[in-house]
Amino acid sequence: MKITIERAALLRSLGHVQSVVERRNTIPILSNVLLRAEGNELSLTATDMDLEIVESAQAEVLRAGATTAPAHTLFDIVRKLPDGSQVELEASAESGVMTLRSGRSNFRLGCLPTEDFPQMSGGEMAHRFSVSAADLRTLVDRTKFAISTEETRYYLNGIYLHAARARSGEAELPVLRAVATDGHRLAKVEMPLPDGADGIPGVIVPRKTVLEIRKLADEAADRIEIGLSETKIRFTFDTVVVTSKLIDGTFPDYERVIPTGNDKLMEVDARSFAAAVDRVATISTEKSRAVKLALGKGVLTLSATSPEAGSATEEIEVSYDSAPLEIGFNSRYLLDITQQIEGEFARFSMADAASPTVVRDVADGAALYVLMPMRV
Amino acid sequence: MRHPELDDLAIAHVDCDAFYASVEKRDNPKLADKPVIVGGGRRGVVAACCYVARLYGVRSAMPMFKALEFCPDAVVIPPDMRKYAAVGRQVRGMMTALTPLVEPISIDEAFLDLSGTERLLGGSPARSLVRLVRRLEQELGITASIGLSYNKFLAKIASDLDKPRGFRAIGRAEAESFLAPQPVSLIWGVGKALERRLEIEGIETIGDIRERDEHWLVSRFGAMGRRLHRFARGQDDRRVEPDEATKSVSAETTFNRDLTDAEELARRLWPLCETVARRMKAGGHHGHSVVLKLKTADFHLLTRSRRLDTATQLAEEIYRAALPLLEKEADGRAFRLIGVGCTDLDDGAPGRLGDLLDAERDRRARVEHAMDAIRARQGEAAIVKGRSLPPTKPR
């Protein structure tokens, strides 16, 4: 293999693929990126066996071929090369070495045989549909904070993506819905079901995959193709294809835990509420992060106390008409949710100090959050 | 007692004599003249031995079988840590009545800085210490030895010189001449390995250290070299640091025979979780993290920890957090010890987060609170979980 490629193009592609590569690997080949030169393209592949990312970049191919080189080292070298430089990569199957030349810089990197590089068997994607990059960003942003990292409930370590029917007045609309929960909060967001997505199986997309596609969605052109089988999901951006295994588990029946009868309603200016929670939480202990909400007619009093730091209270005007209520929350969980509310007002539907509270963006019916109180 | 500098020395090391054994003798006067060993199990070691047992050559930390070879008539008493801890707290209370600057080293041993207490206590530190020892004997029925000096290093050495019921002072004028002929092993931190390395260099006594310059010592022994240089001259500027808040609560057990079976290990884990929970509840702590400790048959120590989403003091929750950590490690290796603990303690009321998906969680908490209430009235054994019972043989 022998190619020349612009430093900027190589850096961009390596930047995408190297983040899949784990920093510490017990299997040496997984530290490497597979480089394959063909036609007028260099394709780069990285994998951690659960997630594979393939990207192609324009290059001048002088001799077609392939090799694998250490991903992080290669990325670091290219990152440090001057702007606008040309990079030459040359490797031969026999030597086990790849040479990188650029200007007066010369690197020799140890390579591993391409035959050892694990291929994620492609498999047929039975379902295909496309979503806009903006919709994909919304689905991910509104839910990813609630993904659990607790390994014992592995089936919560991702976003549950599925087709559902949403009630809107009398009518029922088909929607594509994303749900994530860690048991303490739950986030649910939906969009109109794209063509081709009816009949898709409900799948759990792992957290790492979610975070990778979220990064790529920032740079993506408008449409993103999604392919789905029982065990894998594939996202196709312009020049990048991300294939991921799905979490093999059953997502809990989340609709059962979304309360429908909460009758104590509070509406509050989302920005000033978030700012006040943030201020008051300065006092709550680092470990528990508890804040208390005391609701009376038209006014909400936020408070926090800690044995070491002291205490804090702040009042905000709210619209609230029900019986007085005191309820505690983890302040960080409250902030995670209020940050997702883009409209002016947030609506809290509560029952009592021990039961889950529902939070919605008054201006956006597509997203719903459930938050478990903290008993203090 | 006479000593020219007696009234100028204020750093003390107080060390109870054969503490566990003394407490047992106090509680059972029939044992007074008998050799008593506190410790247990076939694989156990001597946790403490009275001075009668020491006459036979028994020493603490000695394997039990060996101790019984030396002293076959010894009365062996399994340790009752809760009792010793309670007495230890009383001892600590009497110390802090003299000065807030009490640095506990263990349950029965502490440094005290009595500087500036003359006026308040109506006498020199030496007098106050004599009164402390008298109180320990009269009110708690145990004895202690005192070392008094101008720093921790020498105070600790001094308390050991006249044990039991000793009181020794080491003053500034005599420090160097006292130290010179002593073996290097007297210095805290000089173990067998370092002792051998020093011997190779021709250093056997503390006096030998003083003949080498600091550079030479540091270049060969690093930070320890600097410590050797200073200690050899009777210098130690470490301060007496008062007790810090409890950082963790844990319990562990060494098995009579190594265990490999995951279920068997889990059965051993549960009572430890109950012990930790009992102490957490008594101390008013909630832990944000649970730590599992395992020691393999070849003495490899493993610790695995997990952060909880909501702080706990409940045995059931500690167990449920530790069990998956254990299951991951119990892969057929043989273990000789298992331990569990809570860290990241919160002494306030950290609040409890409910779980949307696990309605049983609150019920489990209520069950444990109900069990605690019954135990408070009827004793620990009044009610146990099925998990505590021996496994039934399959039919």
Side-chain angles (χ1 to χ4, degrees), chain B residues 73-241:
Chain B
D73 299 331
V75 178
V76 178
I77 301 173
D80 180 353
M81 295 312 294
R82 288 169 79 188
K83 181 158 84 182
Y84 310 144
V87 182
R89 272 194 297 275
Q90 290 175 302
V91 173
R92 188 77 41 81
M94 291 184 187
M95 290 174 175
T96 47
L98 301 183
T99 170
L101 294 180
V102 175
E103 179 181 328
I105 302 168
S106 67
I107 186 172
D108 62 339
E109 181 185 0
F111 286 112
L112 278 69
D113 183 347
L114 292 157
S115 316
T117 58
E118 291 83 352
R119 206 53 104 60
L120 189 68
L121 301 176
S124 65
R127 275 178 187 283
S128 302
L129 290 163
V130 170
R131 280 204 298 269
L132 170 68
V133 178
R134 202 178 296 140
R135 271 192 85 187
L136 293 175
E137 287 190 21
Q138 289 171 353
E139 296 177 32
L140 300 181
I142 56 165
T143 65
S145 296
I146 309 273
L148 182 62
S149 188
Y150 57 95
N151 64 34
K152 283 161 70 168
F153 167 59
L154 292 167
K156 170 103 166 123
I157 290 175
S159 71
D160 216 28
L161 295 176
D162 278 340
K163 253 180 171 308
R165 294 190 77 203
F167 193 131
R168 273 291 282 270
I170 299 178
R172 290 176 178 81
E174 71 201 291
E176 293 203 358
S177 56
F178 165 80
L179 289 170
Q182 306 288 341
V184 289
S185 55
L186 201 62
I187 295 175
W188 184 82
V190 178
K192 287 245 154 38
L194 185 54
E195 199 180 341
R196 259 196 306 277
R197 283 175 62 202
L198 288 164
E199 201 186 321
I200 292 167
E201 299 288 354
I203 298 174
E204 289 180 17
T205 65
I206 296 178
D208 295 338
I209 297 175
R210 271 181 47 206
E211 287 171 15
R212 306 302 173 102
D213 72 29
E214 189 174 357
H215 271 303
W216 187 89
L217 288 164
V218 172
S219 66
R220 273 178 181 65
F221 304 106
M224 190 63 207
R226 180 161 297 121
R227 188 184 285 168
L228 291 174
H229 171 82
R230 296 183 57 82
F231 282 1
R233 285 163 180 71
Q235 299 167 354
D236 175 15
D237 49 15
R238 291 173 302 162
R239 297 220 301 230
V240 174
E241 309 275 3

Side-chain angles (χ1 to χ4, degrees), chain B residues 295-311:
Chain B
K295 199 183 269 176
T296 62
D298 53 352
F299 290 87
H300 260 326
L301 185 66
L302 305 171
T303 58
R304 296 289 179 265
S305 72
R306 190 165 144 212
R307 189 157 169 93
L308 305 172
D309 44 27
T310 183

Side-chain angles (χ1 to χ4, degrees), chain A residues 28 53 70 116 153 173-174 180 188 228 236 287 294 298 301 311 340:
Chain A
I53 174 162
D116 294 353
R153 293 197 282 191
L173 295 172
K188 179 187 95 154
L228 206 55
T236 308
K287 286 170 185 161
T301 310
S311 66
Q340 293 313 319

Side-chain angles (χ1 to χ4, degrees), chain A residues 295-333:
Chain A
L295 280 150
K297 293 246 182 291
V299 63
L300 164 68
T301 310
L302 290 163
S303 64
T305 56
S306 100
E308 300 97 43
S311 66
T313 61
E314 182 161 340
E315 285 188 357
I316 341 180
E317 265 180 50
V318 295
S319 108
Y320 182 77
D321 245 355
S322 310
L325 174 67
E326 281 199 358
I327 186 167
F329 290 109
N330 177 316
S331 57
R332 191 154 68 192
Y333 293 175

